Amino acid sequence: MASAQHDIRDNILLTVRRAAAMDNTTLSAYLDGSDQAELRRKLIKGVRFSSRLILTYHAALCAVVLAFTMCKKTLPKRPGSLWQYLRAVRALGMYQPPPIPCLNKALPSNSTSLFILLLLGINVFYATYNIQWTLELAFVFSDRTALLFVANLPWLYLLAAKNQPVRLLTGYSYENLNILHRRPGEIMCLLAIIHGAGMIAAWYCFFRPTGMTIWHFLSLPMIVLGLSALACYELLYLTSLASFRQWWYEVFLGSHIALQAAGLVLVFFHHRNGRIYVGIALAIFLLDRLLFRLVVKSRSTRADLTVMEDGETVLVSADWPLADRWRNVLTALLGLDVRYGWTTTEHVFLTVPALARKHIVQAHPFTIASAAPARDHAWLNIIARAHDGFTRDLLHYARAHASATLRLDGPYGSLHSLHMLQSSDIALVVVGGSGIAVAYPLIWALLHEHDAEVLRTRRRVCLIWVIHEASHVSWIGHERLDELRGRGLHIVIPAPTSKAGRPDVPALSENTISEMMDGSQDSRIGVVVSGPDSMNRAVRNRCASIAWRDIDVHVAVEKYGW
């Protein structure tokens, strides 16, 4: 018995997988020659089944994404009880629960949570389906979770990429999909821990009886590589927590790149069966980071720096003639940089090397606060409200310098919010503070369409802008606001919060919608909100309560996900 266990010890990490690839004749001869034939048979059968099962995982994920995309499409309004049930379901999906008590962890909308639970359910199914729950066969479960981990790698990197095809399918840009990057990452960290625990169980069953100590087992090269990869991905999770990102963003940024690169290398050498997935993930990363972000969509320009009236905000402004779209065929095919213009609500990643050495490799996202160029010249404005880190350093630099050379990576984003408002009879944009950078291009586009005269009589457009100081109006300027009023915009700017406190933005939004509906229950309402998380959630939930009353309201939240 001891020799048989020793034989399994020598083969459990390598031979079982090799045997799983044997033809049936060779496999039968291999099994019949062992005293532990039945156990070997179960191990090899389990590993073989896992290898085949995992091939269907990507098809299952694609099916879920397609189904979710179809559910997000606008439902035509039809009479009858079925329509009311669908509207009720959509209203429930729109609702965003409050943060978890004690943990203070923000939760997404119910529809997003449902999608995440679907992803979790699929992973649980693929990890546990047809598994025999005995300690001797723990290696099969450990092997299954390892395969599932590497199968998730391409999706993890795809959802993290700034340039990705998923937005073409869903209509959402990468910042809206970022939560679907973080949650699978957390699932993968759990899978890695389970895989490690399963290997400890394999040691207990097969290695320990032969005299191999746990320390000897953990010092095997394959195990060392696996533990090192595990450490990389667990550190990735810890340094990606929202509290860590807010506290020490520069460390998060550097460690995120270094740890994921090290993790990929370690997984590649840990086991050959994961190399195809590592290769795909690496290709996605290199295409996004090196080709698109550093070459195709990155351009340097000289910009003016102006400290605004409040003394805490910097206006970054630049202009240039629009480049001929076909002058650089490669760039035109792969993706246009800001020299070719941008579209409404898109944003860029800003790098200002002159601030400090550490800022040479840092890129921070900012919404383009000026209208999308329509002719042969582009005027770009960025509103940078000083907080800590980069924006505070930028403010100090702007107080001493009137201009700086900066690098712009982008533009990025989607037209989901604009298209939603364009298809609405009532368009309401609710923003707080520097969220006006999102609102102004949206409203400008709505009020400057080709058939503006016709659309102004049909569509009603309103802006609610919550400001902290009265001087913040200068970020856009009274002249521009008056111009938008002249084109039909209804503007509501409550008293500054520094003097009057925070207004009841949800109630103000609902009252504004009621006034603009003017008693009509058939109007289609589009609401875009951009501000602090608490305000975004409150407005979203008020829209959900309106939708529950069988009113056709749609809401989009514009915010960044790092």
Side-chain angles (χ1 to χ4, degrees), residues 91-98 108-110 506 510 529 534-549 555 557:
L92 289 173
M94 192 184 300
Y95 179 80
Q96 182 180 3
S109 64
N110 287 337
E510 183 172 3
V529 55
S534 58
M535 188 184 85
N536 294 343
R537 184 177 64 253
V539 172
R540 177 198 288 275
N541 291 345
R542 185 59 63 96
C543 290
S545 67
I546 295 173
W548 186 263
R549 300 198 296 269
V555 63
V557 176

Side-chain angles (χ1 to χ4, degrees), residues 154 227 259 312 318 378 539:
L227 289 175
L259 288 172
E312 291 292 313
V539 172

Side-chain angles (χ1 to χ4, degrees), residues 121-246:
I122 290 174
N123 277 268
V124 171
F125 171 80
Y126 274 86
T128 60
Y129 179 68
N130 201 29
I131 290 291
Q132 298 185 46
W133 301 103
T134 61
L135 190 60
E136 291 80 6
L137 295 176
F139 175 77
V140 176
F141 181 52
S142 175
D143 177 73
R144 177 80 65 80
T145 55
L147 288 175
L148 197 54
F149 176 92
V150 294
N152 273 301
L153 275 175
W155 290 93
L156 184 73
Y157 281 79
L158 185 65
L159 291 170
K162 304 298 182 289
N163 305 274
Q164 53 163 282
V166 179
R167 68 181 181 87
L168 300 177
L169 181 65
T170 63
Y172 296 131
S173 62
Y174 82 91
E175 71 272 11
N176 299 115
L177 298 170
N178 188 260
I179 190 173
L180 302 182
H181 160 70
R182 297 196 299 268
R183 297 296 90 84
E186 294 168 359
I187 294 173
M188 289 173 62
C189 288
L190 179 60
L191 289 171
I193 292 175
I194 295 174
H195 171 63
M199 294 307 298
I200 297 297
W203 163 81
Y204 183 84
C205 292
F206 303 115
F207 297 4
R208 184 184 60 86
T210 66
M212 176 181 280
T213 65
I214 183 63
W215 305 115
H216 185 192
F217 175 76
L218 295 178
S219 66
L220 294 174
M222 179 180 290
I223 304 301
V224 170
L225 288 169
L227 289 175
S228 300
L230 174 65
C232 284
Y233 283 102
E234 298 308 319
L235 283 174
L236 260 177
Y237 166 71
L238 293 175
T239 56
S240 297
L241 294 174
S243 56
F244 189 94
R245 296 197 308 271
Q246 296 169 3

Side-chain angles (χ1 to χ4, degrees), residues 276-287:
I276 180 65
Y277 297 107
V278 171
I280 296 173
L282 182 61
I284 293 171
F285 175 78
L286 294 178
L287 283 173

Side-chain angles (χ1 to χ4, degrees), residues 264-333:
L264 280 181
V265 172
L266 291 167
V267 171
F268 181 87
F269 289 105
H270 176 56
H271 206 286
R272 68 180 186 276
N273 280 30
R275 291 176 183 175
I276 180 65
Y277 297 107
V278 171
I280 296 173
L282 182 61
I284 293 171
F285 175 78
L286 294 178
L287 283 173
D288 178 59
R289 284 277 177 175
L290 299 185
L291 178 59
F292 280 95
R293 298 200 62 188
L294 294 183
V295 178
V296 175
K297 305 196 75 168
S298 182
R299 291 293 178 267
S300 295
T301 188
R302 193 75 181 175
D304 295 328
L305 304 178
T306 305
V307 179
M308 303 297 287
E309 184 180 335
D310 64 343
E312 291 292 313
T313 306
V314 177
L315 176 66
V316 181
S317 56
D319 68 282
W320 57 81
L322 290 180
D324 181 2
R325 286 179 176 268
W326 305 110
R327 185 179 302 169
N328 187 330
V329 177
L330 181 62
T331 302
L333 290 175

Side-chain angles (χ1 to χ4, degrees), residues 406-434:
L406 48 87
R407 188 169 68 249
L408 298 173
D409 170 22
Y412 301 105
S414 75
L415 294 173
H416 170 71
S417 296
L418 178 61
H419 289 164
M420 183 194 69
L421 295 180
Q422 286 176 331
S423 63
S424 302
D425 303 310
I426 297 173
L428 174 63
V429 183
V430 185
V431 296
S434 58

